């Protein structure tokens, strides 16, 4: 496990997200009402980058490709791939899979992510 210092708390306003490259990964860091959270950037369905994903209800990220939704805090699937109609046929081959989440800590206003 390696702890990476990624930004200052004030660099990311509540409701915002940013992509960060750490080691060989890109992660998404979110500042939600309830705090900072980090998840893997690639959707577990067909690996689309979610840097342009939509945040829904301040707690879920929607993949821009087939609209799977994930809980940002836990990484759990809330809704699996469902767009366009028919994509569900592929779901037998691509069963639901949660996103990896990464612990985030804040110390003296410095945000760190553990990989
Ligand atoms: S790649 Fe994300 S829902 Fe299909």
């Amino acid at each position: 496990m390696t702890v990476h210092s990624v930004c200052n708390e004030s660099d990311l306003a509540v409701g915002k997200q940013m992509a960060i490259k750490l080691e060989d990964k890109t992660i998404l860091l979110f500042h939600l009402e309830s705090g900072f959270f980090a998840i893997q950037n690639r959707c577990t369905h067909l690996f689309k980058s979610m840097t342009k994903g939509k945040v829904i209800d301040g707690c879920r990220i929607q993949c821009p490709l087939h609209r799977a939704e994930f809980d940002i805090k836990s990484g759990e699937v809330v809704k699996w791939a469902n767009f366009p109609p028919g994509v569900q046929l592929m779901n037998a081959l691509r069963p639901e899979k949660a996103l990896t989440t990464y612990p985030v800590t804040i110390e003296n206003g410095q945000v760190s992510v553990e990989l």
Side-chain angles (χ1 to χ4, degrees), residues 17 28 30 49-55 60-64:
Q17 67 197 65
L28 292 180
F30 296 83
S49 165
M50 296 199 291
T51 54
K52 292 192 165 60
K54 189 161 84 177
V55 175
R60 305 192 303 280
I61 179 87
Q62 183 188 60
C63 175

Side-chain angles (χ1 to χ4, degrees), residues 43 45-48 63 65-68 81:
C43 177
H45 181 238
L46 288 178
F47 316 113
K48 175 73 176 172
C63 175
L65 192 54
H66 307 115
R67 302 184 185 173

